[in-house]
Short mmCIF file of all heavy atoms in Angstrom, two decimals:
data_model
loop_
_atom_site.label_atom_id
_atom_site.label_comp_id
_atom_site.label_asym_id
_atom_site.label_seq_id
_atom_site.Cartn_x
_atom_site.Cartn_y
_atom_site.Cartn_z
N CYS A 1492 18.40 28.06 5.96
CA CYS A 1492 16.95 28.21 5.93
C CYS A 1492 16.35 27.71 7.25
O CYS A 1492 15.46 28.33 7.82
CB CYS A 1492 16.39 27.45 4.73
SG CYS A 1492 14.61 27.42 4.67
N LEU A 1493 16.90 26.59 7.74
CA LEU A 1493 16.41 26.03 9.01
C LEU A 1493 16.67 27.01 10.14
O LEU A 1493 15.80 27.29 10.96
CB LEU A 1493 17.08 24.68 9.31
CG LEU A 1493 16.84 23.57 8.29
CD1 LEU A 1493 17.61 22.31 8.69
CD2 LEU A 1493 15.36 23.25 8.19
N GLU A 1494 17.90 27.55 10.14
CA GLU A 1494 18.24 28.50 11.20
C GLU A 1494 17.33 29.72 11.16
O GLU A 1494 16.86 30.19 12.19
CB GLU A 1494 19.69 28.94 11.05
CG GLU A 1494 20.64 28.07 11.86
CD GLU A 1494 22.07 28.29 11.45
OE1 GLU A 1494 22.48 29.47 11.32
OE2 GLU A 1494 22.78 27.29 11.23
N ALA A 1495 17.10 30.22 9.95
CA ALA A 1495 16.25 31.41 9.81
C ALA A 1495 14.84 31.16 10.35
O ALA A 1495 14.17 32.07 10.80
CB ALA A 1495 16.18 31.82 8.34
N LEU A 1496 14.43 29.92 10.32
CA LEU A 1496 13.09 29.58 10.81
C LEU A 1496 13.14 29.03 12.25
O LEU A 1496 12.15 28.48 12.74
CB LEU A 1496 12.43 28.55 9.88
CG LEU A 1496 12.12 29.05 8.47
CD1 LEU A 1496 11.72 27.88 7.57
CD2 LEU A 1496 11.02 30.09 8.50
N SER A 1497 14.30 29.17 12.88
CA SER A 1497 14.50 28.69 14.27
C SER A 1497 14.22 27.20 14.41
O SER A 1497 13.62 26.75 15.39
CB SER A 1497 13.62 29.46 15.26
OG SER A 1497 13.86 30.82 15.16
N ILE A 1498 14.64 26.43 13.38
CA ILE A 1498 14.51 24.98 13.46
C ILE A 1498 15.92 24.40 13.64
O ILE A 1498 16.79 24.62 12.78
CB ILE A 1498 13.87 24.41 12.17
CG1 ILE A 1498 12.46 24.95 12.00
CG2 ILE A 1498 13.88 22.88 12.17
CD1 ILE A 1498 11.84 24.67 10.65
N ALA A 1499 16.16 23.73 14.76
CA ALA A 1499 17.49 23.19 15.02
C ALA A 1499 17.83 22.13 13.97
O ALA A 1499 17.04 21.20 13.76
CB ALA A 1499 17.54 22.57 16.41
N PRO A 1500 18.98 22.26 13.30
CA PRO A 1500 19.36 21.27 12.28
C PRO A 1500 19.53 19.87 12.85
O PRO A 1500 19.48 18.89 12.12
CB PRO A 1500 20.70 21.79 11.74
CG PRO A 1500 20.81 23.20 12.23
CD PRO A 1500 19.96 23.35 13.43
N SER A 1501 19.69 19.79 14.18
CA SER A 1501 19.86 18.47 14.81
C SER A 1501 18.51 17.78 15.08
O SER A 1501 18.48 16.62 15.50
CB SER A 1501 20.59 18.64 16.14
OG SER A 1501 19.85 19.50 16.98
N PHE A 1502 17.42 18.49 14.86
CA PHE A 1502 16.09 17.86 15.01
C PHE A 1502 15.96 16.68 14.06
O PHE A 1502 16.58 16.64 13.00
CB PHE A 1502 14.99 18.87 14.66
CG PHE A 1502 14.56 19.75 15.80
CD1 PHE A 1502 15.17 19.70 17.05
CD2 PHE A 1502 13.51 20.65 15.63
CE1 PHE A 1502 14.76 20.53 18.09
CE2 PHE A 1502 13.09 21.48 16.66
CZ PHE A 1502 13.72 21.42 17.89
N ARG A 1503 15.07 15.73 14.44
CA ARG A 1503 14.65 14.68 13.52
C ARG A 1503 13.27 15.07 12.96
O ARG A 1503 12.61 15.96 13.52
CB ARG A 1503 14.52 13.35 14.27
CG ARG A 1503 15.75 12.47 14.16
CD ARG A 1503 16.80 12.79 15.14
NE ARG A 1503 17.96 11.91 14.99
CZ ARG A 1503 19.17 12.26 15.40
NH1 ARG A 1503 19.40 13.44 15.92
NH2 ARG A 1503 20.17 11.43 15.27
N ALA A 1504 12.86 14.34 11.93
CA ALA A 1504 11.58 14.67 11.28
C ALA A 1504 10.43 14.80 12.28
O ALA A 1504 9.57 15.67 12.16
CB ALA A 1504 11.25 13.60 10.24
N GLY A 1505 10.45 13.94 13.31
CA GLY A 1505 9.36 13.91 14.27
C GLY A 1505 9.34 15.07 15.24
O GLY A 1505 8.40 15.21 16.03
N ASN A 1506 10.39 15.91 15.23
CA ASN A 1506 10.45 17.06 16.15
C ASN A 1506 9.87 18.33 15.53
O ASN A 1506 9.67 19.32 16.23
CB ASN A 1506 11.89 17.35 16.59
CG ASN A 1506 12.56 16.17 17.25
OD1 ASN A 1506 13.63 15.74 16.83
ND2 ASN A 1506 11.94 15.61 18.27
#
Side-chain angles (χ1 to χ4, degrees):
C1492 174
L1493 298 178
E1494 268 166 47
L1496 294 169
S1497 304
I1498 297 169
S1501 59
F1502 274 4
R1503 264 84 180 156
N1506 302 125

